[in-house]
Amino acid sequence: MHLCFLPQSPLMFKDQMQQDVIMVLKFPSNSPVTHVAANTLPHLTIPAVVTVTCSRLFAVNRWHNTVGLRGAPGYSLDQAHHLPIEMDPLIANNSGVNKRQITDLVDQSIQINAHCFVVTADNRYILICGFWDKSFRVYSTETGKLTQIVFGHWDVVTCLARSESYIGGDCYIVSGSRDATLLLWYWSGRHHIIGDNPNSSDYPAPRAVLTGHDHEVVCVSVCAELGLVISGAKEGPCLVHTITGDLLRALEGPENCLFPRLISVSSEGHCIIYYERGRFSNFSINGKLLAQMEINDSTRAILLSSDGQNLVTGGDNGVVEVWQACDFKQLYIYPGCDAGIRAMDLSHDQRTLITGMASGSIVAFNIDFNRWHYEHQNRY
């Protein structure tokens, strides 16, 4: 029985790839995977990794909790052959693509990226922006059908984000637009709509309007625990608002950090911002610049581990790198992939990293933040 545990041991393989990469899943469509949402908690009706491609074809890929292999409770031998992610059968055998393709037209000028999509915490709905009519829309992942259209902006909606969910699936949704404003909405986990009232779901009202940017909003992150929204426009400083709509402060980047593109916030109050041309900054929520670095990759995806201690980055070079969030010390570099990375997410137990690739596949990596911290402390 113990043989099953051995492949996880780093001593078994000198070959890095063998212990780092769990699996690669190649979708029939070659369209880049631009969004990955790993909502893998075992109590969900469908624990899954939801992926969306550039051509707006989504897939609900079932997640098998194989962590038992790593000595966690719930391990059974008959599960041992499972790979953690199983391709959505409707995509795999090309039978139900009509239930998975979003056909509504997006505005021609919109670049489809990870910010255009939000998947609800129960994997049952996808929110999509970028439509020519200045709306963002809610679709059922089960049927692919449109369930709600939300208006409120004066120009095309360019990015979406959601906060962590409360019990019952309620969360905040933030939409950013070319009209230089952001709107804060409430997602009702009970009614599966934006807004509290199923009777007025045609015209839900935003909870707050966030102003202060001079240009199109391109990235946003919202943290319900801190009660903050942090957003970046095409150029200029990132702004920190409260969820009631008050502007708290501007995060002025160091010189040459003028074009924010990606934002990630931890509930510990760290805010990591990626600017064009490989520049990163770490701000405290009070606006203090804590660290900065420059890397020679065009980064497309960043995420913080759930404790806020680790930053994971990936980009056009196809290399996943792990950094200590507080000071940008490098902790680990994964073997390079043969395509650029467009999106990333972590499983709920922080043991598996799933990346969406420009080649139309997803790659699942083993990830062990504790090990690197331990090694890093011993080294320095």
Side-chain angles (χ1 to χ4, degrees):
M1 275 184 73
H2 285 284
L3 283 176
C4 303
F5 292 87
L6 285 176
Q8 303 294 332
S9 136
L11 303 172
M12 275 284 286
F13 295 106
K14 289 286 176 263
D15 180 9
Q16 208 55 57
M17 204 66 172
Q18 202 105 41
Q19 70 194 45
D20 281 337
V21 176
I22 306 169
M23 64 181 295
V24 179
L25 206 59
K26 176 76 184 80
F27 294 109
S29 133
N30 290 326
S31 182
V33 176
T34 46
H35 189 84
V36 174
N39 296 309
T40 57
L41 280 163
H43 68 71
L44 293 172
T45 324
I46 319 167
V49 174
V50 178
T51 55
V52 193
T53 70
C54 219
S55 56
R56 297 186 310 292
L57 182 70
F58 69 90
V60 182
N61 309 290
R62 193 172 272 280
W63 173 264
H64 299 287
N65 279 297
T66 55
V67 288
L69 287 177
R70 299 167 205 174
Y75 171 75
S76 72
L77 257 184
D78 51 308
Q79 271 187 322
H81 63 274
H82 268 321
L83 287 168
I85 306 168
E86 181 189 336
M87 192 184 294
D88 185 332
L90 294 185
I91 296 292
N93 54 29
N94 232 349
S95 61
V97 172
N98 58 330
K99 283 186 170 176
R100 296 287 184 259
Q101 178 69 55
I102 307 293
T103 51
D104 297 354
L105 288 176
V106 289
D107 194 88
Q108 288 300 300
S109 63
I110 282 287
Q111 271 192 314
I112 300 283
N113 62 25
H115 295 128
C116 296
F117 310 99
V118 157
V119 177
T120 57
D122 57 7
N123 291 320
R124 291 177 60 186
Y125 294 87
I126 298 182
L127 287 69
I128 303 182
C129 69
F131 297 102
W132 60 272
D133 63 0
K134 310 176 181 60
S135 71
F136 67 91
R137 304 180 181 198
V138 183
Y139 296 86
S140 156
T141 55
E142 194 186 343
T143 62
K145 286 198 163 60
L146 176 65
T147 60
Q148 192 180 17
I149 301 182
V150 183
F151 292 103
H153 284 286
W154 296 99
D155 206 334
V156 173
V157 181
T158 44
C159 57
L160 293 171
R162 82 166 167 84
S163 69
E164 63 281 32
S165 286
Y166 298 107
I167 303 286
D170 290 10
C171 64
Y172 290 109
I173 300 284
V174 181
S175 57
S177 164
R178 210 167 265 171
D179 66 14
T181 70
L182 301 111
L183 297 177
L184 184 88
W185 309 85
Y186 198 73
W187 171 263
S188 163
R190 182 163 159 230
H191 302 299
H192 306 297
I193 53 164
I194 296 273
D196 306 327
N197 184 354
N199 301 325
S200 64
S201 69
D202 285 351
Y203 301 102
R207 290 282 178 96
V209 181
L210 316 182
T211 58
H213 287 295
D214 298 330
H215 301 274
E216 166 182 336
V217 180
V218 292
C219 51
V220 61
S221 184
V222 52
C223 178
E225 199 176 324
L226 296 172
L228 295 177
V229 177
I230 300 177
S231 55
K234 257 202 162 135
E235 57 182 275
C238 291
L239 301 181
V240 184
H241 286 87
T242 65
I243 47 185
T244 51
D246 299 322
L247 176 57
L248 288 183
R249 65 185 55 86
L251 302 176
E252 294 280 358
E255 122 184 83
N256 295 334
C257 292
L258 303 170
F259 310 111
R261 291 298 172 259
L262 303 166
I263 297 180
S264 191
V265 182
S266 75
S267 53
E268 274 64 36
H270 282 271
C271 173
I272 309 280
I273 302 173
Y274 169 73
Y275 300 88
E276 232 168 46
R277 302 203 181 88
R279 297 184 172 93
F280 283 84
S281 294
N282 179 1
F283 290 92
S284 77
I285 282 310
N286 299 322
K288 185 168 187 276
L289 178 63
L290 302 174
Q292 53 178 309
M293 72 166 170
E294 210 172 309
I295 63 174
N296 56 3
D297 187 4
S298 178
T299 303
R300 298 292 196 110
I302 65 173
L303 57 84
L304 283 163
S305 56
S306 59
D307 61 4
Q309 305 272 329
N310 309 279
L311 170 71
V312 187
T313 64
D316 291 348
N317 292 355
V319 178
V320 174
E321 299 181 73
V322 184
W323 316 80
Q324 205 160 270
C326 59
D327 55 7
F328 294 135
K329 286 245 164 59
Q330 192 169 58
L331 295 176
Y332 198 69
I333 305 179
Y334 279 89
C337 301
D338 58 357
I341 293 159
R342 294 295 177 83
M344 293 193 294
D345 204 7
L346 281 164
S347 61
H348 70 280
D349 61 358
Q350 308 280 296
R351 303 290 294 267
T352 309
L353 173 76
I354 299 104
T355 60
M357 312 301 290
S359 55
S361 52
I362 56 175
V363 181
F365 295 91
N366 272 320
I367 198 157
D368 184 357
F369 295 119
N370 296 340
R371 188 185 95 203
W372 298 320
H373 273 279
Y374 178 72
E375 286 176 2
H376 188 264
Q377 276 160 349
N378 282 3
R379 232 180 301 157
Y380 300 103

